[in-house]
Amino acid sequence: MKQPIRVAAAVVLGAVALAACGGGSSTGSAGGDSKALVIGTDLPLQGASADASSSTNNAIQLYLDQVGGKAGAYSVTLKAYDDSTAAKGQWDDATCAKNAQDHVANTAEVAVMGTYNSGCAKIIAPVLNQDPSGPMLMVSHANTNPGLTKTWDPGEPQKYFPSGQRNYARVITTDDYQGSAAATFAAEKLGAKSIYILNDNQTYGQGVGKAVEEQAKKIGLKVIANEPWDSKQQSYTALFNKIKAAKPDMVYLAGIYDNNGGQLVKDKVAVLGDNATVPMMAPDGFTGYPELQKLPQAEGLYLSFTGLTVDQLKAGGGAAAKLLADYKTKYGKDLTSSFALYGVAATQVILAAIEKSDGTRKSVTEAVLSGDGITIPADKSVTGKEIKIDPATGDVTSKDVSILQMKGGAETFLQAQAVS
């Protein structure tokens, strides 16, 4: 059977017809007809995020191999979806909308690990939420926009759950905490008295920029401006000359590196001086990009990350250090993306939910977002800390924000930043 489902334009930028195919399948069924199930990953596999996304898929596959491809009585395989386009070089609205339909149409698939970009999640989550055999679970390793789980912008988060039942969770903290930590660090550790915020005019960038601005005002850090940059510009010299006239103590880039972040960093240094002269800071949308790490102008750049970094996790030993060592053995290189390990953490939550379920999409979702939810103990968690999902919200209960600095072409851990 094919049943069309329409999602409000405010959520999916236009009505989306969703083909929800019922019945059995030779490869398994979300209706529980088989013990062979699929977890989908939904990541940008093209453009600047390709390296981190491929590393995430590789790390998840490695972990899945190590647990024998099993979750309780069920065998589990991975299916990778690409939510980017070559033309755009990053995530794409239409591709995210199509992927949402494809997830539901794949009857063996019971959950989605992803997305990387919050804007894409806001397109996919409500479609999975209306799956007639679900809602279908989505657990993200990287979405930090608060509105996916809590009150933020008008209508959030209710508009992502039109069925009335939540189906979305994440294993990292949110941008209200990340932005607050960044502003506090700028004032307390860098001694900044004024800040100029540039956002990339996307869901994530606007959200983290808003959070920095709100915290800055609370602690007396003057916000000169919070304005968008145009990702299609070939040069930002004029923009930074305007900023130079305002004499900010620091510049904050609220957005993702994919949106011409390299040119932005180069032109900031060319006009305002290096990052020792006028500090520059960015959120985790700028972490894990080899292209940025190679830029001489990025030296000294401050970064925040909504979790614990690869270096911290390696130093902590345990399951994380073992997986990192095994990754290097299998793939011949170090895992450098901290988000990749959180991709494994999200997969751990999904596997625990499958084991607890009857194999149907509805049951897998309820395992995470009802009752006592899912808890991964610290000794099993690849983050080295207990992962506990609040079943009322889908948010992880831990609130870790790490401050990093680019030194010698590498993201170096500076400190854990307290959040409130």
Side-chain angles (χ1 to χ4, degrees):
M1 295 176 60
K2 290 184 183 294
Q3 179 179 348
I5 293 179
R6 285 183 166 78
V7 180
V11 176
V12 194
L13 306 178
V16 175
L18 170 63
C21 304
S25 166
S26 61
T27 58
S29 170
D33 296 336
S34 170
K35 290 189 176 182
L37 304 177
V38 172
I39 297 172
T41 63
D42 205 299
L43 304 169
L45 299 175
Q46 301 175 82
S49 296
D51 183 78
S53 296
S54 296
S55 297
T56 301
N57 281 335
N58 287 342
I60 292 172
Q61 186 60 61
L62 172 62
Y63 179 79
L64 202 55
D65 291 344
Q66 290 179 341
V67 298
K70 300 284 288 183
Y74 302 97
S75 62
V76 180
T77 56
L78 204 63
K79 179 175 173 58
Y81 294 76
D82 183 3
D83 57 39
S84 63
T85 64
K88 199 170 180 180
Q90 59 173 283
W91 74 278
D92 173 70
D93 295 37
T95 306
C96 293
K98 181 183 183 301
N99 284 3
Q101 299 177 49
D102 291 345
H103 288 305
V104 175
N106 183 0
T107 56
E109 193 172 327
V110 293
V112 177
M113 197 308 294
T115 58
Y116 179 73
N117 300 99
S118 296
C120 187
K122 290 185 176 185
I123 293 171
I124 293 178
V127 179
L128 303 188
N129 186 261
Q130 295 177 90
D131 168 25
S133 64
M136 187 175 182
L137 178 66
M138 183 175 185
V139 183
S140 175
H141 65 313
N143 298 155
T144 53
N145 184 267
L148 283 157
T149 55
K150 63 184 87 173
T151 300
W152 190 244
D153 288 333
E156 292 182 335
Q158 292 80 8
K159 65 183 180 181
Y160 306 119
F161 312 117
S163 74
Q165 179 183 350
R166 294 193 182 220
N167 63 308
Y168 176 90
R170 50 185 156 197
V171 294
I172 51 168
T173 194
T174 49
D175 285 332
D176 42 348
Y177 296 111
Q178 178 171 210
S180 174
T184 300
F185 174 80
E188 294 182 353
K189 299 298 182 180
L190 302 182
K193 303 297 182 184
S194 63
I195 186 170
Y196 203 110
I197 303 169
L198 294 173
N199 72 76
D200 66 1
N201 214 25
Q202 288 189 357
T203 297
Y204 166 75
Q206 290 173 333
V208 71
K210 171 184 173 182
V212 171
E213 181 176 7
E214 289 181 350
Q215 177 67 4
K217 290 177 178 178
K218 287 179 184 177
I219 62 177
L221 175 60
K222 181 182 178 182
V223 178
I224 297 173
N226 181 359
E227 64 182 47
W229 81 76
D230 180 356
S231 64
K232 296 181 174 60
Q233 289 293 315
Q234 294 184 340
S235 171
Y236 298 102
T237 300
L239 172 62
F240 282 112
N241 275 319
K242 181 180 78 169
I243 292 173
K244 184 176 183 179
K247 298 181 179 179
D249 288 335
M250 73 172 298
V251 174
Y252 186 86
L253 306 179
I256 58 175
Y257 178 74
D258 312 58
N259 282 324
N260 210 12
Q263 191 63 47
L264 204 66
V265 169
K266 290 181 203 175
D267 290 343
K268 179 270 171 188
V269 171
V271 176
L272 296 178
D274 64 19
N275 297 312
T277 304
V278 177
M280 181 167 52
M281 190 172 189
D284 51 18
F286 273 67
T287 63
Y289 289 93
E291 292 176 13
L292 175 62
Q293 293 163 8
K294 293 174 185 176
L295 280 182
Q297 295 90 340
E299 185 71 11
L301 172 69
Y302 293 98
L303 298 158
S304 57
F305 179 73
T306 45
L308 305 174
T309 67
V310 166
D311 288 344
Q312 291 170 275
L313 294 171
K314 185 184 293 184
K322 180 182 183 305
L323 187 67
L324 289 167
D326 291 344
Y327 185 96
K328 185 172 184 178
T329 298
K330 180 167 184 176
Y331 297 109
K333 60 181 180 180
D334 287 318
L335 179 64
T336 57
S337 169
S338 299
F339 276 126
L341 271 180
Y342 279 85
V344 179
T347 304
Q348 287 186 302
V349 170
I350 293 171
L351 291 173
I354 291 173
E355 183 173 359
K356 192 177 177 181
S357 76
D358 63 10
T360 63
R361 289 173 176 173
K362 183 176 186 294
S363 180
V364 171
T365 297
E366 288 175 346
V368 178
L369 292 154
S370 68
D372 57 1
I374 294 293
T375 299
I376 309 297
D379 63 334
K380 304 293 184 184
S381 163
V382 294
T383 68
K385 296 181 65 174
E386 178 185 81
I387 302 171
K388 183 174 180 59
I389 304 296
D390 181 349
T393 64
D395 277 324
V396 68
T397 55
S398 59
K399 298 177 179 63
D400 296 305
V401 176
S402 302
I403 303 297
L404 322 173
Q405 188 176 24
M406 204 74 80
K407 293 182 179 180
E411 295 169 11
T412 304
F413 173 72
L414 283 185
Q415 66 177 63
Q417 183 66 41
V419 297
S420 58

